[in-house]
Amino acid sequence: MKPIYLDNNATTAVVPEVREEMLPYLGELYGNPSSMHTFGGQLFRKIEEARAKVAALIGAEVEEIIFTSCGTESDNTAIMSALESFPERRHIVTTRVEHPAVLNFCKHLSRKGFRVTFLPVDSSGRLDRDAFVKSLDDGTAVVSIMYANNETGVVFPVREIGEILRERKILFHTDAVQAVGKIPIDVKDLPVDMLSLSGHKLHAPKGIGALYVRRRTRFYPYIIGGHQERGRRAGTENVASIIGLGKACELAQENFARETDQVSRLRDRLETALLAECPDATVNGDTVHRLPNTTNISFEYVEGEAILLRLDEQGICASSGSACSSGSLEPSHVLRSMGTPFTAIHGSIRFSLSRYTTDAEIDRVIEVLPPTIRELRTISPFARKKVICPK
Ligand code: PLP
């Protein structure tokens, strides 16, 4: 049975058009794009075509796109490049709600002796602007703040942040892995120096990403070796996946307006119905500045894992901010940073839709979930005693 897949912030399906485009490069066209002969060399042109498609989706110049192995590599590369560019500056500013690709890398750098400020957010997951401005000093090499949060969908004020940083001449990197293809981004008109994206969040395969680096931004490669990617990222290119990413970006651009309208309509319908049918349910995060495809809902007095298991039995895929199910033993650091009560974190479920989500699928979730919550509440230990959040 085909699952009802509402976990698109975790990963997305590789769509048939993307797969088709990739297949020859996993078969007969196996050459090395750096080769002198035509058999390999012809692939170089295909990579450049894909680069142009990625660039077009975010309004970049073709040479401003570097292919990487994933969003994580793009994030690590951007931060490291800034630190290498300004060796006299030892300070990094980021937020407490970043994806581990930034958060854990910054913790690692802090252990290596760099000074890192982890900025707080308010109860709706929005950046504390004053704390941000106060955090900047002459030693700040780079600010890395996500475009949109993967758990709540909250969108950060990237333009405002960038304008402040441009005035202060501080490099700005944004992790736009969850934003690209979901909301309009035009780097021509946006004061960011570096921006990360990842293929598997926009219907391309896993294991391919890209980093946008604005022209004339000082750049140091993170992966060092051969001359690929104009000397900015060594390693023989993942040709098939690069071509897949190019196709996925082209599709995202072609279908953008129509599909985001449809996705947000379905998301809103799901959210409204669940809030109406389930007492003691609340949406986590700002609902105005939010991705069109994401809703994160806390169902008090139930454990998220129990909800997920019941949904799974019905072929419905979602994810939770509570222990274990998200692959970690910690409750969501994002919801904790927002000051969400412990019981609400443990009952939180994230639904993330895609342009392939249908009305019938949303109807099914609306039919299945409210009775499940009612039933779980009759047996949940959270329903009977108040649990205090450990610090
Ligand atoms: N940044 C954000 C906001 C993400 O959601 C993810 C993946 O979930 C990443 C970075 C990491 O991307 P990748 O899985 O391609 O390394």
Side-chain angles (χ1 to χ4, degrees), residues 247-314:
K247 183 66 186 176
C249 288
E250 183 180 64
L251 290 173
Q253 198 177 11
E254 274 170 19
N255 299 308
F256 194 73
R258 185 168 50 83
E259 284 174 350
T260 50
D261 284 356
Q262 175 187 314
V263 168
S264 60
R265 179 183 64 76
L266 290 177
R267 187 274 313 272
D268 292 347
R269 197 156 76 72
L270 174 68
E271 188 174 277
T272 308
L274 294 179
L275 294 181
E277 296 273 327
C278 305
D280 295 316
T282 43
V283 175
N284 294 310
D286 186 353
T287 54
V288 178
H289 304 94
R290 186 169 56 154
L291 293 174
N293 79 319
T294 308
T295 177
N296 186 314
I297 305 180
S298 279
F299 300 92
E300 285 274 2
Y301 319 122
V302 226
E303 283 173 86
E305 284 161 24
I307 303 173
L308 284 189
L309 289 174
R310 292 296 178 88
L311 288 177
D312 192 40
E313 284 164 12
Q314 301 289 330

Side-chain angles (χ1 to χ4, degrees), residues 37-72:
H37 46 71
T38 312
F39 180 66
Q42 65 182 325
L43 302 188
F44 184 80
R45 196 170 40 79
K46 294 303 292 183
I47 289 179
E48 294 314 299
E49 281 172 25
R51 198 186 308 280
K53 291 174 186 171
V54 176
L57 180 61
I58 58 167
E61 303 288 327
V62 181
E63 322 76 63
E64 292 176 324
I65 300 296
I66 303 170
F67 288 115
T68 65
S69 69
C70 58
T72 302

Side-chain angles (χ1 to χ4, degrees), residues 173-194:
H173 163 249
T174 185
D175 173 348
V177 163
Q178 291 293 345
V180 170
K182 295 178 187 159
I183 50 177
I185 296 180
D186 183 354
V187 290
K188 273 196 295 301
D189 182 39
L190 198 67
V192 303
D193 302 302
M194 291 178 278

Side-chain angles (χ1 to χ4, degrees), residues 9-11 69-73 75 98-102 146 148-151 175-178 196-201 206-209 350:
N9 287 7
T11 198
S69 69
C70 58
T72 302
E73 185 192 320
D75 288 344
E98 299 297 313
H99 185 273
V102 169
M146 66 199 330
N149 186 269
N150 42 304
E151 293 191 27
D175 173 348
V177 163
Q178 291 293 345
S196 303
L197 62 96
S198 173
H200 74 109
K201 310 293 180 177
K206 297 159 189 59
I208 184 70
R350 177 189 70 188

Side-chain angles (χ1 to χ4, degrees), residues 7-311:
D7 203 12
N8 287 279
N9 287 7
T11 198
T12 59
V14 178
V15 292
E17 298 93 315
V18 168
R19 210 161 43 226
E20 286 295 309
E21 196 91 356
M22 292 173 62
L23 280 177
Y25 306 93
L26 295 168
E28 66 277 18
L29 292 176
Y30 56 81
N32 186 327
S34 299
S35 296
M36 286 297 288
H37 46 71
T38 312
F39 180 66
Q42 65 182 325
L43 302 188
F44 184 80
R45 196 170 40 79
K46 294 303 292 183
I47 289 179
E48 294 314 299
E49 281 172 25
R51 198 186 308 280
K53 291 174 186 171
V54 176
L57 180 61
I58 58 167
E61 303 288 327
V62 181
E63 322 76 63
E64 292 176 324
I65 300 296
I66 303 170
F67 288 115
T68 65
S69 69
C70 58
T72 302
E73 185 192 320
S74 299
D75 288 344
N76 286 207
T77 302
I79 295 168
M80 236 17 243
S81 169
L83 295 174
E84 297 247 32
S85 300
F86 297 97
E88 69 290 359
R89 301 190 192 178
R90 310 270 305 163
H91 180 221
I92 305 156
V93 175
T94 186
T95 77
R96 293 182 193 164
V97 296
E98 299 297 313
H99 185 273
V102 169
L103 195 64
N104 287 345
F105 191 57
C106 287
K107 286 181 186 165
H108 166 78
L109 292 170
S110 133
R111 286 191 292 272
K112 294 267 172 207
F114 289 92
R115 194 159 49 89
V116 185
T117 304
F118 296 95
L119 295 169
V121 294
D122 67 16
S123 59
S124 58
R126 303 199 68 200
L127 187 69
D128 181 334
R129 188 186 178 282
D130 289 344
F132 161 64
V133 173
K134 278 197 201 118
S135 73
L136 306 172
D137 59 40
D138 291 344
T140 310
V142 62
V143 172
S144 180
I145 294 183
M146 66 199 330
Y147 208 120
N149 186 269
N150 42 304
E151 293 191 27
T152 57
V154 170
V155 174
F156 282 82
V158 169
R159 174 177 305 282
E160 195 188 339
I161 296 167
E163 280 164 2
I164 294 168
L165 293 175
R166 197 157 269 188
E167 217 161 87
R168 301 280 301 256
K169 298 195 169 42
I170 297 171
L171 281 182
F172 181 27
H173 163 249
T174 185
D175 173 348
V177 163
Q178 291 293 345
V180 170
K182 295 178 187 159
I183 50 177
I185 296 180
D186 183 354
V187 290
K188 273 196 295 301
D189 182 39
L190 198 67
V192 303
D193 302 302
M194 291 178 278
L195 177 149
S196 303
L197 62 96
S198 173
H200 74 109
K201 310 293 180 177
L202 58 138
H203 303 289
K206 297 159 189 59
I208 184 70
L211 179 64
Y212 157 80
V213 181
R214 184 178 293 282
R215 194 194 286 265
R216 286 190 280 278
T217 302
R218 272 200 235 170
F219 183 80
Y220 281 78
Y222 189 46
I223 308 260
I224 296 171
H227 58 273
Q228 293 89 353
E229 296 296 289
R230 299 176 174 87
R232 294 179 299 177
R233 198 277 185 183
T236 303
E237 298 87 342
N238 182 350
V239 179
S241 293
I242 287 174
I243 287 165
L245 177 59
K247 183 66 186 176
C249 288
E250 183 180 64
L251 290 173
Q253 198 177 11
E254 274 170 19
N255 299 308
F256 194 73
R258 185 168 50 83
E259 284 174 350
T260 50
D261 284 356
Q262 175 187 314
V263 168
S264 60
R265 179 183 64 76
L266 290 177
R267 187 274 313 272
D268 292 347
R269 197 156 76 72
L270 174 68
E271 188 174 277
T272 308
L274 294 179
L275 294 181
E277 296 273 327
C278 305
D280 295 316
T282 43
V283 175
N284 294 310
D286 186 353
T287 54
V288 178
H289 304 94
R290 186 169 56 154
L291 293 174
N293 79 319
T294 308
T295 177
N296 186 314
I297 305 180
S298 279
F299 300 92
E300 285 274 2
Y301 319 122
V302 226
E303 283 173 86
E305 284 161 24
I307 303 173
L308 284 189
L309 289 174
R310 292 296 178 88
L311 288 177

